[in-house]
């Protein structure tokens, strides 16, 4: 995996943004229309988000995509 420190930071930031909204991983997954396991894997830095996935997640959280990269 390339750039594991950024993948970890992205996942930690996603978790922070999700919990600030008071959502579970399942709520985010349902709203973003992605599998819950995908959210889990991103937050645990087991996989990285694609651009398409980041757009869906940001839209679900009602934030700009760049917020996901502010870590």
């Amino acid at each position: 995996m390339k750039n594991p420190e950024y993948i970890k930071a992205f996942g930690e930031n996603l978790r922070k943004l999700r919990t600030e909204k008071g959502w579970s991983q399942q709520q985010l997954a349902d709203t973003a229309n992605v599998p819950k396991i995908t959210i889990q894997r991103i937050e645990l830095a087991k996989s990285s988000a694609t651009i398409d996935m980041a757009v869906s997640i940001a839209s679900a959280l009602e934030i700009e995509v760049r917020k996901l990269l502010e870590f």
Side-chain angles (χ1 to χ4, degrees):
M1 183 180 297
K2 294 182 182 179
N3 303 306
E5 65 277 3
Y6 291 109
I7 293 169
K8 182 179 180 192
F10 183 94
E12 290 171 351
N13 189 44
L14 173 57
R15 181 180 306 227
K16 179 182 78 76
L17 293 167
R18 175 181 59 76
T19 57
E20 283 176 357
K21 195 159 179 85
W23 283 6
S24 67
Q25 289 178 337
Q26 187 65 59
Q27 286 173 299
L28 176 55
D30 290 345
T31 306
N33 198 31
V34 299
K36 178 184 172 191
I37 191 71
T38 300
I39 302 298
Q40 289 174 330
R41 291 182 59 76
I42 292 170
E43 288 187 359
L44 294 172
K46 300 292 183 189
S47 66
S48 59
T50 64
I51 292 172
D52 187 49
M53 186 74 56
V55 170
S56 293
I57 291 169
S59 178
L61 292 171
E62 299 177 326
I63 60 173
E64 294 181 26
V65 176
R66 67 180 177 82
K67 277 291 267 189
L68 291 171
L69 299 171
E70 292 178 356
F71 47 80

